[in-house]
Amino acid sequence: MSLEPPPDQDIVVVGASGDLAQRKLLPALYNLSREKLLPTRGAVIGTAPVDWGDQQFRDHAHQAVATFSRTSVDDAAFATFAERLHFVPLSGDDITPLQQHFTQQRRIVYLAVPPSAFSPLISAIGTAGIADDTSIIIEKPFGRDLDSARQLNAELHSVVPEERVFRIDHYLGKETVQNLLVFRFGNSVFDRVWTRDAISRVEITVAETLGVDGRGRLYEEIGAIRDIVQNHLFQVLALTAMEPPISFEPEAIRNEKVKVLRAIRPIDPEHVVRGQYTAGTVGKESAVAYRSEPGVSPDSTTETFAALRLQVESWRWTGVPFLLRTGKRLKVRDSRVVIVFRDVPLHLFREVGVEAMESNRLVVRIQPDEGIALSFSAKQPGPDVTAQDVHMNFNYGSSFRGSPPEAYERLLHDALHGDHMLFIREDEVEAGWSAVDGILKEPPPVEFYAAGSWGPKDAARIAAPGHWHAAENEV
Ligand code: BG6
C-alpha cells in the first residue's frame, strides 16, 4: 500500500444517503483524509434521490463518522474533510448534472446502490460522455448468477475497460485475509505441508450473530450462497488454496486465484445444506424468525445458512475436502480458516487413554480476536501418558499496536491508486458464479435452525467423518 496521496481526482459516491455510505464509506473517506491519503486535489461528491444540500451532506457525514468511524471525530480533521464534500440530489438515471461539480479531469465513481441500479448507472456514465476519465467501483453482489454476471461485465466493458473497474469484496480489505498471502508465502515452515500429503481437510467459516439487519427485502433476493459463499468464502478459499504467484503483482496473484475457482468440481447437491433461522436466542437477546423479519415473505425459502463440501481438483488438492459454511443468527460471530492436518500414522499411545487425540490444526482467525493458532498434542504432566490438545497462539492485538485500517479504507485507497490486487477480476467473478450455478438452479430444500445455534443439524453431515472446528472449542 502506497503511503503517497493518490493522483488528483474527484470521488463520486452514488447512493451517498444509504447504509453503506453511512456505515463504511464516509468514515473510511474521513480516515483517509485524516491520514492525508486522499488525493491532494479533488472533491467528494455525494448523490442520492434526497433533497440535501452540501451542508446536510456534511452534517450526515459528521454523524456517520461519530457513530461508525474506528477513530473519534477530530474537529480540525473533520473540517478539512468537510471542505471536499458536496451533494447533488439526483432522482433519475441522468447523471449529467454531476458534471458541473467536477473539479478534476479524472474521477472514480462508487456505485453504492442496490444491484438493480448498476446497469442503468453504468449506461448513464456512458451516455453522459464522461467514461474516458472515469473509473468505477462496484459493490457486490455482482450479478445473481453466471449469465447475469456475464451480462453485467459486458455492460461495464462497453463503457470502461477492465483496467478501470474495481469489483469490491470487502473481505479482501481485511488485514487477516491479506495476511494469508504473507503467512503462506513469507514462511518456509508451512510450505512443505501445504498439500494433500499433509492436510486432510480445510474448513472455512463465516459465522454471524446478526440477522438480516433491516435488509430483509433485499436479502430475500439474494440468500447466503449469493451473499457470502460466492464471494467472501470463495475469496478466502482462493487465497488459502492458490499456488505461489510468480511475483507480488496484482495480475500474478489474480491469475493464481482464478485457477483455484476454476478447479472447483461441480458441487454434488448431496454436499450442500441450506438453512433458515427460526426464532431463538442469540447471546442474551431474543431473535425473531427470518420469516418474521420486515420485508421477508412469511413462506420464504431463502437460505440464511449454507454449508458445502467442495473438491478443488488440482495437483495440490485432489482428495482434500474443502468445507465451507456461513450463516446469520448463529451462536457466535466468527470467521476462520481451519487447516486440519493428517493424523499420525500410528497411535502409539492407544493403550493409555488418548484415543480422543485431536488432529493437528492451524487456525486462522479472520475475525474477531484476529490471530493464528497452531493446535497440537502435548503430554499432560503426571505419571500417565495422557495427551492434551494445546495451542501456540499469535494474536494481532498483542503483537501489533494501534487499530488497523478498516477494510473499506484500504480498498478505497487502492482503487484511488489504480491498484487492482484486492479487487475481483472479471474472470474470477465468473468462475465463482460458475461454481455455484448448479446449486442455485436446483437448490436443495431449506432446513430450519433456531437462532443462536450452529445451523441446521444436517450441517454436521457435510463435515462427516469428523466435525466442524468451531470457535468455542478453540483458542
Ligand atoms: C456483507 C454481506 O458482504 O458482509 C452481509 O452482504 C454481511 O450480509 C457482511 O453481514 C459481513 O461482513 P463482516 O465484515 O461483518 O464479516
Side-chain angles (χ1 to χ4, degrees):
M1 166 165 162
S2 162
L3 291 178
E4 296 293 310
D8 291 344
Q9 61 200 292
D10 292 321
I11 301 167
V12 178
V13 180
V14 187
S17 64
D19 206 47
L20 180 68
Q22 184 188 28
R23 285 171 188 262
K24 302 289 185 188
L25 304 184
L26 291 167
L29 289 167
Y30 162 74
N31 280 313
L32 289 174
S33 162
R34 216 175 44 95
E35 288 169 15
K36 308 215 171 344
L37 293 173
L38 283 186
T40 309
R41 276 175 289 274
V44 174
I45 305 164
T47 173
V50 292
D51 191 17
W52 288 355
D54 289 351
Q55 192 53 46
Q56 270 158 305
F57 186 40
R58 289 173 187 168
D59 293 346
H60 177 73
H62 189 277
Q63 180 268 334
V65 172
T67 316
F68 296 108
S69 167
R70 69 183 163 89
T71 59
S72 52
V73 189
D74 173 304
D75 288 342
F78 188 82
T80 308
F81 174 55
E83 282 171 21
R84 292 180 188 257
L85 297 179
H86 300 283
F87 193 83
V88 184
L90 281 184
S91 45
D93 294 326
D94 177 12
I95 60 162
T96 43
L98 287 177
Q99 294 186 52
Q100 51 193 297
H101 300 269
F102 292 163
T103 66
Q104 305 298 315
Q105 179 68 27
R106 291 175 56 173
R107 73 211 59 86
I108 193 156
V109 177
Y110 198 125
L111 302 184
V113 291
S116 56
F118 291 162
S119 294
L121 282 165
I122 292 164
S123 57
I125 291 171
T127 319
I130 58 168
D132 284 351
D133 301 308
T134 299
S135 300
I136 297 180
I137 307 181
I138 189 160
E139 262 298 328
K140 60 173 273 285
F142 190 92
R144 48 177 294 104
D145 53 19
L146 182 57
D147 286 347
S148 54
R150 280 187 176 143
Q151 192 186 328
L152 193 52
N153 274 330
E155 286 169 18
L156 269 170
H157 291 154
S158 69
V159 174
V160 291
E162 180 67 15
E163 302 81 75
R164 283 192 272 123
V165 176
F166 296 85
R167 295 178 196 78
I168 290 254
D169 181 316
H170 79 279
Y171 261 59
L172 292 179
K174 292 185 193 277
E175 282 290 335
T176 42
V177 173
Q178 290 163 38
N179 187 47
L180 281 166
L181 287 174
V182 175
F183 180 77
R184 285 198 52 206
F185 304 125
N187 297 300
S188 64
V189 65
F190 296 108
D191 181 39
R192 300 275 159 78
V193 293
W194 212 263
T195 116
R196 67 197 154 87
D197 297 334
I199 293 175
S200 67
R201 59 205 257 159
V202 177
E203 299 172 20
I204 309 177
T205 295
V206 170
E208 297 185 86
T209 47
L210 280 180
V212 285
D213 205 21
R215 295 190 307 149
R217 203 160 53 84
L218 182 68
Y219 196 84
E220 274 288 85
E221 301 293 313
I222 300 175
I225 295 173
R226 291 187 174 92
D227 190 38
I228 305 275
V229 175
Q230 186 273 344
N231 35 68
H232 304 331
L233 277 171
F234 277 6
Q235 284 299 315
V236 175
L237 164 72
L239 292 171
T240 305
M242 68 190 259
E243 293 301 316
I246 55 166
S247 70
F248 206 62
E249 293 301 314
E251 293 323 312
I253 291 171
R254 300 201 298 178
N255 286 345
E256 297 305 330
K257 279 166 57 197
V258 75
K259 287 184 201 164
V260 174
L261 299 175
R262 286 197 185 129
I264 297 174
R265 301 295 308 144
I267 304 167
D268 182 344
E270 287 289 308
H271 292 163
V272 180
V273 169
R274 294 167 67 240
Q276 188 189 87
Y277 62 83
T278 56
T281 309
V282 185
K284 291 193 173 101
E285 286 178 24
S286 58
V288 299
Y290 174 69
R291 288 178 171 185
S292 307
E293 299 272 13
V296 172
S297 155
D299 50 8
S300 168
T301 56
T302 300
E303 81 280 353
T304 59
F305 175 97
L308 303 84
R309 171 182 282 249
L310 308 177
Q311 298 292 339
V312 175
E313 202 139 279
S314 68
W315 196 266
R316 186 185 290 267
W317 294 115
T318 293
V320 179
F322 282 79
L323 312 177
L324 272 48
R325 69 175 168 168
T326 184
K328 292 200 178 284
R329 290 284 190 228
L330 295 184
K331 189 162 188 175
V332 292
R333 175 169 181 256
D334 178 46
S335 293
R336 60 176 49 207
V337 181
V338 183
I339 309 288
V340 183
F341 292 99
R342 293 198 183 282
D343 288 335
V344 289
L346 185 64
H347 279 268
L348 286 179
F349 318 117
R350 198 174 294 284
E351 300 307 314
V352 283
V354 289
E355 289 82 1
M357 268 170 79
E358 274 279 8
S359 309
N360 295 162
R361 289 159 341 275
L362 184 80
V363 179
V364 178
R365 298 188 304 274
I366 294 172
Q367 66 184 28
D369 186 24
E370 292 79 358
I372 298 180
L374 185 65
S375 306
F376 54 93
S377 295
K379 179 181 174 301
Q380 237 180 38
D384 293 339
V385 181
T386 308
Q388 189 182 322
D389 204 34
V390 295
H391 315 281
M392 284 200 295
N393 189 26
F394 148 63
N395 200 300
Y396 272 78
S398 49
S399 296
F400 299 116
R401 292 233 186 118
S403 62
E406 274 275 330
Y408 277 92
E409 281 170 50
R410 175 65 199 267
L411 295 173
L412 278 163
H413 173 271
D414 284 8
L416 289 165
H417 272 285
D419 182 339
H420 279 88
M421 169 120 58
L422 301 177
F423 295 89
I424 316 289
R425 203 167 63 186
E426 170 192 16
D427 51 357
E428 275 183 85
V429 82
E430 292 185 8
W433 281 120
S434 177
V436 291
D437 221 36
I439 53 172
L440 289 175
K441 286 202 172 105
E442 286 179 45
V446 285
E447 298 172 30
F448 294 98
Y449 62 98
S453 69
W454 268 112
K457 291 210 170 42
D458 229 20
R461 176 169 64 75
I462 300 295
H467 60 91
W468 294 98
H469 290 87
E472 297 158 287
N473 322 326
E474 306 263 355
V475 171

